[in-house]
Amino acid sequence: MSAYVISEVDVLDEELADAYRTLAEASIRRYGGRYIVRGAVPEAVEGTWPLSQRVVIVEFPDTDRAKEWYASAEYAEALEVRKTALERRLLLVEGVSE
């Protein structure tokens, strides 16, 4: 069953955020992930959404693969850059079975 990593992101440093994106993308692909949404500003149909926040959604083949990616040596370098590039909330959810 597919799993999704959902990020609510505030960019703190655009240059570092670009470096993070490059490193993250390479690691995501290595673990079978693919971007569904990347850096979008959502339209709030109900409630409010801060204009500075972006949304990223990555699909992985399953939860185990998503967790392997997050804990991987490949992603560790991106995480170090993320500390000063972005503030975020990162969520992992399973998709529904058909």
Side-chain angles (χ1 to χ4, degrees):
M1 177 178 330
S2 293
Y4 299 88
V5 174
I6 303 168
S7 300
E8 297 174 1
V9 179
D10 274 314
V11 175
L12 303 175
D13 181 312
E14 196 61 53
E15 189 174 316
L16 287 174
D18 285 342
Y20 167 80
R21 287 181 199 106
T22 299
L23 293 167
E25 182 175 11
S27 67
I28 286 166
R29 291 184 191 280
R30 289 188 76 165
Y31 286 82
R34 69 181 184 100
Y35 287 95
I36 303 296
V37 175
R38 190 170 189 185
V41 178
E43 179 181 342
V45 179
E46 292 187 20
T48 60
W49 185 267
L51 292 177
S52 64
Q53 260 189 0
R54 305 292 185 261
V55 174
V56 178
I57 302 173
V58 178
E59 179 182 45
F60 284 92
D62 55 46
T63 301
D64 289 341
R65 218 43 192 154
K67 288 179 180 179
E68 287 174 26
W69 160 74
Y70 187 78
S72 72
E74 294 88 355
Y75 187 56
E77 185 179 357
L79 277 176
E80 278 302 310
V81 174
R82 192 223 45 89
K83 289 178 183 178
T84 53
L86 314 168
E87 284 287 329
R88 74 169 176 198
R89 178 182 356 213
L90 192 70
L91 309 166
L92 173 61
V93 296
E94 283 189 343
V96 296
S97 58
E98 296 185 35

